[in-house]
Every structure is written in C-alpha cells, then in structure tokens.
Amino acid sequence: MSKSASTVATYKRSFYTALSAVLLLTSASSALAASDRVKTNTLISNDYCHSNLESHIPSYQYQSTQQQALSCMLTQVKPYQQGDKTARQRYWAYKAQAWLNYAIHQNSINSRSTAGAYAAQTAESILHSLKNGTKKDISLHQDIPAMSALMRPDLWAIINALKDSDGIAVAPREMAFSEVALIWAATNQCARGWRESGIHFRMADRWLEQARQAYVNAHDSQTNVALQARIVRYYEAYAPLDSGEDTCHGQALSPI
C-alpha cells in the first residue's frame, strides 16, 4: 500500500471513530432526556394522588402513573365547580377539567404529540392557582398554542366578546368547555384532517350557543346590542388571521 493510500485509510478510521463517539453521546443524551421526562410525569402522581382520593377513582390500581395523576387532578378540581364558588373560580375549574379530559384522551390513545403534555401542564397550572388563590394572575384571554390554529374566527370572536361583557358570570362551564374544544378541534385537523375535527367544532358551537343564549336572557336589549357589536369588532380583527390552511403554528388573540 502506498504512503498516500495508508494516510487516507488512517484518516477514514479516525473520522469514523469520532463519528461513532458523537452518535453514541447523542443517543445517551436523548435517553437521559427521555428518562427525565418520565420522572417528571411520575412526580405528578405523587403530588396529586393520596389515599383518600384513590378510593374515589374507579380502576385506580389498573391505571398507569400518568393516568393516575390525571384522574387525581380531575377529582381535585371538582370542589371548585360547586355553587359556593365564584363564577370565575368555576370557570377556571371547568377549564382545568376540559384540559384534563383532553390529556386523558391523548394518554389513552398513546399519542406522542405535544398536545397531551400541553393539556396536562395547563390543567396543573390552573389547579395550582385555584389552590393558592392566585387565579387572578392567569390571563383571562386564551392564546392559541403552537400545536393548534385559528380556524373558526367567528367562534373565537363570540368567546372574547362574552368575556369582555362578563359572560363568565352567567355561563362559566360553557365558556370554558368551548375554548378547549376549539383548540382540540383545530389540533386534530392539523394532525389528521377535517374528518377528525368536526365533532369538536360542533361541540364548541353548541357550548357557545348556550352561553350566548344565557347571556341574552340575563340582560336587556341595549346590553345585548352592545354584545353583538363587540362580536363583530372581534370577528373583523380575527378573520384575517385565519389562513384557511390546515397548518398549526399558534396565534396570539389580543383583546380589543
């Protein structure tokens, strides 16, 4: 073998040895990161599941650690939905429930998307705020997360117009459920097409119709005319933000 050929061969061996080391290090780092994520999920169960709660959750012993945590969190938000709580407390408690329902669904289908993690973390944050009395620190206006998109500006216009008009006071559950249903619907459409989004869009539409009707019944005609005008203003602001494409990149929805 010539000297130049030997040099090339030596260089190749060195290059592949270095490349293998890099790949091994990358694999180890990825495994460590995944392990950290699993530990984080396990800690949620320890934080929220206690013996007095476990007895109220069907099939608790057959659930995974993550399922146990979500079920226990769902049990813990229920007291904040009772009639002795303020409308704002009930709104946040129902919103936490809606996010938990989303997270439980994602967990049940073994989804690897970020939607389930986002839903669980959002519910956890709301529950902490309810427990600590810091719910006022959470922004009342919901931005659309990166996993979802603005696909029904007409419905988002109604949501925010009702919020600005104290609609939460008359329909906290309907308002909360409609928001999460809209995010869930758009996320499904981005991931799997319109056939997977229809049911959640229809749910959001029904919840909002109930909320709007409750508001109309509770107020005089002048107030209801003002609500309609606000809905129109919101729609005019949000309609241009809907690209009409099934792409999810989130959207900031500023109050007007």
Side-chain angles (χ1 to χ4, degrees):
M1 180 183 294
S2 67
K3 183 176 180 180
S4 59
S6 177
T7 301
V8 170
T10 301
Y11 173 78
K12 285 184 176 180
R13 284 195 300 272
S14 299
F15 172 77
Y16 287 121
T17 299
L19 180 60
S20 298
V22 170
L23 291 174
L24 180 61
L25 180 60
T26 301
S27 299
S29 299
S30 299
L32 181 59
S35 175
D36 287 342
R37 286 194 294 272
V38 170
K39 289 179 181 178
T40 299
N41 289 339
T42 303
L43 288 176
I44 294 176
S45 178
N46 295 335
D47 288 342
Y48 292 104
C49 294
H50 312 291
S51 58
N52 61 326
L53 288 176
E54 295 169 14
S55 61
H56 297 292
I57 301 173
S59 306
Y60 177 90
Q61 60 181 321
Y62 303 110
Q63 295 178 331
S64 68
T65 300
Q66 182 73 354
Q67 289 170 335
Q68 291 172 8
L70 295 171
S71 296
C72 292
M73 290 169 70
L74 195 57
T75 301
Q76 290 196 14
V77 301
K78 296 295 183 181
Y80 298 98
Q81 299 173 351
Q82 305 308 309
D84 62 328
K85 305 302 181 184
T86 66
R88 192 66 63 89
Q89 284 176 308
R90 297 199 304 274
Y91 164 79
W92 285 118
Y94 282 120
K95 195 163 183 180
Q97 177 185 338
W99 282 121
L100 286 167
N101 289 340
Y102 192 178
I104 289 169
H105 171 76
Q106 293 297 102
N107 185 267
S108 70
I109 63 174
N110 295 318
S111 172
R112 296 182 180 275
S113 73
T114 59
Y118 178 90
Q121 290 165 9
T122 304
E124 184 179 27
S125 176
I126 294 172
L127 181 54
H128 279 164
S129 296
L130 286 168
K131 287 182 173 182
N132 299 330
T134 57
K135 60 187 181 302
K136 63 180 182 299
D137 297 333
I138 309 176
S139 175
L140 192 61
H141 283 271
Q142 169 76 56
D143 285 333
I144 299 175
M147 67 193 186
S148 191
L150 175 65
M151 292 187 179
R152 287 294 303 271
D154 57 325
L155 298 184
W156 281 108
I158 296 172
I159 287 175
N160 283 337
L162 281 170
K163 283 184 179 180
D164 289 352
S165 306
D166 202 23
I168 286 175
V170 296
R173 182 184 64 162
E174 291 78 4
M175 296 281 293
F177 285 179
S178 63
E179 285 182 277
V180 178
L182 275 176
I183 292 172
W184 192 340
T187 303
N188 279 4
Q189 185 154 326
C190 286
R192 296 184 293 277
W194 63 269
R195 290 183 177 83
E196 297 292 328
S197 65
I199 184 172
H200 297 291
F201 277 131
R202 289 191 295 273
M203 287 170 59
D205 204 346
R206 285 197 298 269
W207 286 122
L208 273 179
E209 180 58 30
Q210 292 177 28
R212 188 173 182 176
Q213 191 59 51
Y215 185 90
V216 168
N217 293 340
H219 295 86
D220 59 29
S221 59
Q222 185 176 357
T223 304
N224 291 328
V225 168
L227 172 67
Q228 184 57 37
R230 191 178 293 273
I231 291 173
V232 171
R233 289 199 299 273
Y234 265 113
Y235 179 73
E236 290 173 348
Y238 291 166
L241 303 177
D242 181 8
S243 66
E245 300 175 357
D246 292 349
T247 56
C248 282
H249 46 69
Q251 182 65 60
L253 296 179
S254 302
I256 59 175

